[in-house]
Amino acid sequence: MTKFNKLIPEANEIYKTTEDLVGIGVRMPGTAGGDKARQYVMDRFYEYGLKNVHEIESETDLWQCSEYELTVDDKEVPAYFIAHSFNNGSYGEFGTPNEGLNGELVYVGDGKSKDFDKVDVKGKIVICNCRFTKLPIFMLRIISKLFYDPDKTFGMFERRLNPYSANTFPHNYYRAMKRGAAGCVVILSDYIDSSCYNNEDYSYIDGDMKIPGLWVSGNEGKKLVERIRNSTKPAAGSIRMKCSNSRVKAAAVAGIVQGKTDEMILVHSHFDSSTPGATEDGTGAAEVLALAKYFSQIPREELKKSILFIEMDTHFSDYDTHDSVVAEYMGEGSKVLADVCIEHVAAEMINKNGTGVMTGLVEPRIFFVSGAKALMRITKDEIKKHDLRRTVVLPAEKFGDEVPTDGDIFHIAKVPIINMVSGQLYIYDNIDTMDKVPKGELRPVAETFADIIWRLMDLDKNEFR
């Protein structure tokens, strides 16, 4: 900890910044909320006196669903839209007939290829399960460079649900689409009893998701399966959706704290969200703003390198702005030596028989670290020094080009990374509200990253690789 660390904003201030962002609402690019959030960040950068504050623009697709409904035997079933479904890649408004898209309901279990081989789904509405992957804790222990859990809060044989990977989905959806199904209803089978899962765009897996898709909760899914299995009469279903797809402006906000040289440490997060986004990623954005305020108060002669602060906005729309940032800052002769990314300071929730239960603990944090040994050493030292418990440090190289962080694109661009992320159960759910923010963790995280950045500024550029 340096003599300046008393200048780091306190927890209440970081919490209030998060609260401000959540108060804006859903913050997707091209929406009023996205524009307000971008202006909020820009105003803060100007307030702190950052240099060269500017937008890094791109275009991106904005998919929206204004109406959605599922009925079975003329009775409405609680459901929620599968984001980016019913989309053939064209722009404009589109929807099912006003009376809905009708078809017999057919259940295909988890929707593996062999499950579809047993039934003709053409013209019908497919019902299938979304099964999430579960990560065994002992595997993280094996591959980690640091497994910092001094209170021994993890069970040796514990398996944690991975909300990033829906596992059976979207592959079962694509199988239904390719076999001519009229629509697809996916059961969140091992999730909390909610249907409000705001999935990311999976079109990179197998193309546009062209047929209407809806989520239903595990409990509602059980009722649907019982209706299909226990009646001699086919179940009549109807999906109604009204959607739009448009090409919109997107932009990151960048600003620089100038040091004694033009060599730069990139510090970033993202401010966009598809939900209230308290922890995904109000807290990450707030931490970056806190660090921008802190370092802006340090005399320039104390900073051996410059710090480039960027807040992104296309985390949920194909990372188009991220590509623009790479083009502007990561080309030949780049001065960016490393990317430091902060995402998701969150309270832990576990699933108990479909009920989300808060444990009172912080959601485990994973640091992905690449580059030379110095970056790994610095990260481990500062985590232990600041007692950042329930933290795992993993070598990013073990994951190839696919680290599950907002900094993945910089990792792909061969920029060394120190990226922190958490995988809270409710990460894509509409329940990601301010009660999920662990206020007591906010300043320790800021202190840890402040000292990581200080130590990175002491390294020679050759020590980053």
Side-chain angles (χ1 to χ4, degrees):
M1 184 175 291
T2 75
K3 62 183 178 181
F4 298 108
N5 277 29
K6 63 184 180 181
L7 298 175
I8 295 174
E10 296 292 341
N12 284 341
E13 182 175 342
I14 304 172
Y15 184 89
K16 178 61 168 60
T17 300
T18 307
E19 194 171 47
D20 289 347
L21 289 166
V22 172
I24 291 171
V26 172
R27 306 180 293 278
M28 293 290 285
T31 66
D35 292 343
K36 287 180 181 178
R38 185 186 311 114
Q39 189 62 52
Y40 179 90
V41 171
M42 182 165 282
D43 289 346
R44 288 293 186 93
F45 280 3
Y46 279 126
E47 178 188 336
Y48 303 155
L50 271 61
K51 306 301 182 185
N52 192 26
V53 175
H54 66 289
E55 293 185 354
I56 303 172
E57 294 188 2
S58 71
E59 288 188 334
T60 195
D61 285 350
L62 173 64
W63 180 96
Q64 293 179 298
C65 183
S66 57
E67 296 181 30
Y68 51 93
E69 183 182 64
L70 172 65
T71 60
V72 176
D73 298 334
D74 295 324
K75 295 180 181 179
E76 186 173 350
V77 175
Y80 193 75
F81 59 81
I82 294 178
H84 309 287
S85 70
F86 199 24
N87 179 7
N88 64 8
S90 60
Y91 297 113
E93 296 183 349
F94 43 92
T96 60
N98 289 333
E99 66 275 14
L101 194 155
N102 304 311
E104 177 188 344
L105 300 183
V106 290
Y107 177 58
V108 296
D110 289 350
K112 298 177 181 178
S113 292
K114 63 181 181 181
D115 297 320
F116 278 94
D117 290 340
K118 301 173 185 177
V119 59
D120 179 14
V121 301
K122 189 172 183 178
K124 300 175 183 178
I125 296 174
V126 166
I127 312 291
C128 54
N129 301 316
C130 172
R131 304 285 187 189
F132 290 86
T133 55
K134 293 184 173 67
L135 301 176
I137 293 297
F138 76 88
M139 286 298 296
L140 291 181
R141 289 181 184 270
I142 291 171
I143 66 174
S144 68
K145 294 296 183 179
L146 175 67
F147 195 95
Y148 190 61
D149 182 34
D151 297 325
K152 295 181 170 51
T153 60
F154 294 113
M156 176 61 73
F157 301 105
E158 182 180 347
R159 295 170 64 86
R160 299 186 65 86
L161 186 144
N162 177 10
Y164 289 105
S165 172
N167 193 15
T168 57
F169 176 86
H171 307 290
N172 44 19
Y173 171 97
Y174 281 117
R175 292 186 184 108
M177 182 182 81
K178 291 178 179 180
R179 295 188 184 219
C184 188
V185 176
V186 184
I187 304 168
L188 290 162
S189 303
D190 50 10
Y191 188 54
I192 55 177
D193 193 36
S194 169
S195 59
C196 298
Y197 181 76
N198 293 271
N199 54 283
E200 294 192 33
D201 183 1
Y202 294 119
S203 59
Y204 66 90
I205 292 178
D206 208 358
D208 293 323
M209 302 174 72
K210 297 179 181 179
I211 61 175
L214 296 172
W215 296 113
V216 294
S217 69
N219 283 337
E220 292 299 332
K222 288 177 183 177
K223 296 176 188 177
L224 289 178
V225 174
E226 288 174 4
R227 166 67 183 86
I228 294 168
R229 284 177 167 171
N230 298 331
S231 176
T232 55
K233 181 182 177 182
S238 178
I239 294 176
R240 188 173 64 83
M241 292 179 74
K242 291 192 180 301
C243 306
S244 64
N245 198 32
S246 52
R247 196 70 177 162
V248 298
K249 171 192 170 180
V253 181
I256 296 173
V257 170
Q258 191 66 49
K260 292 195 292 186
T261 74
D262 289 334
E263 292 179 340
M264 293 188 292
I265 309 299
L266 168 60
V267 179
H268 96 276
S269 190
H270 66 94
F271 60 79
D272 61 326
S273 71
S274 58
T275 72
T279 68
E280 217 307 1
D281 196 22
T283 49
E287 293 282 5
V288 169
L289 286 172
L291 290 169
K293 181 179 181 180
Y294 165 61
F295 279 105
S296 71
Q297 300 173 76
I298 309 300
R300 177 174 177 176
E301 59 270 18
E302 298 282 347
L303 303 174
K304 296 181 181 179
K305 294 177 176 61
S306 298
I307 308 172
L308 172 62
F309 289 96
I310 300 182
E311 297 271 22
M312 302 288 189
D313 82 334
T314 50
H315 187 88
F316 291 97
S317 53
D318 210 24
Y319 298 88
D320 292 301
T321 296
H322 299 62
D323 290 331
S324 295
V325 170
V326 170
E328 181 164 333
Y329 283 105
M330 313 297 177
E332 187 176 348
S334 172
K335 298 292 186 181
V336 176
L337 300 177
D339 168 51
V340 174
C341 179
I342 309 172
E343 293 182 89
H344 314 163
V345 184
E348 183 185 53
M349 174 187 283
I350 60 173
N351 182 2
K352 284 195 173 182
N353 301 317
T355 299
V357 177
M358 305 306 294
T359 66
L361 299 172
V362 67
E363 178 67 26
R365 299 165 267 237
I366 298 181
F367 279 69
F368 293 90
V369 181
S370 67
K373 293 180 180 178
L375 274 65
M376 184 66 74
R377 181 180 67 250
I378 288 169
T379 303
K380 291 164 58 177
D381 286 351
E382 297 305 325
I383 287 169
K384 289 186 285 188
K385 184 175 78 177
H386 292 282
D387 200 24
L388 218 60
R389 299 181 176 215
R390 291 169 66 79
T391 297
V392 180
V393 180
L394 301 176
E397 288 82 1
K398 282 190 175 292
F399 296 83
D401 286 341
E402 295 290 334
V403 293
T405 76
D406 197 71
D408 180 52
I409 197 160
F410 306 128
H411 178 56
I412 293 171
K414 307 303 181 186
V415 176
I417 65 170
I418 298 176
N419 287 185
M420 185 196 87
V421 71
S422 293
Q424 57 272 30
L425 180 62
Y426 49 86
I427 191 169
Y428 297 138
D429 203 288
N430 292 343
I431 62 172
D432 184 16
T433 46
M434 286 302 297
D435 58 309
K436 311 302 188 304
V437 176
K439 186 185 289 187
E441 295 289 329
L442 297 177
R443 197 169 193 276
V445 168
E447 291 174 349
T448 302
F449 277 95
D451 284 353
I452 286 173
I453 294 164
W454 275 112
R455 292 183 64 181
L456 292 179
M457 286 193 287
D458 284 336
L459 297 180
D460 180 86
K461 66 178 181 182
N462 296 318
E463 294 181 87
F464 284 84
R465 299 186 177 274

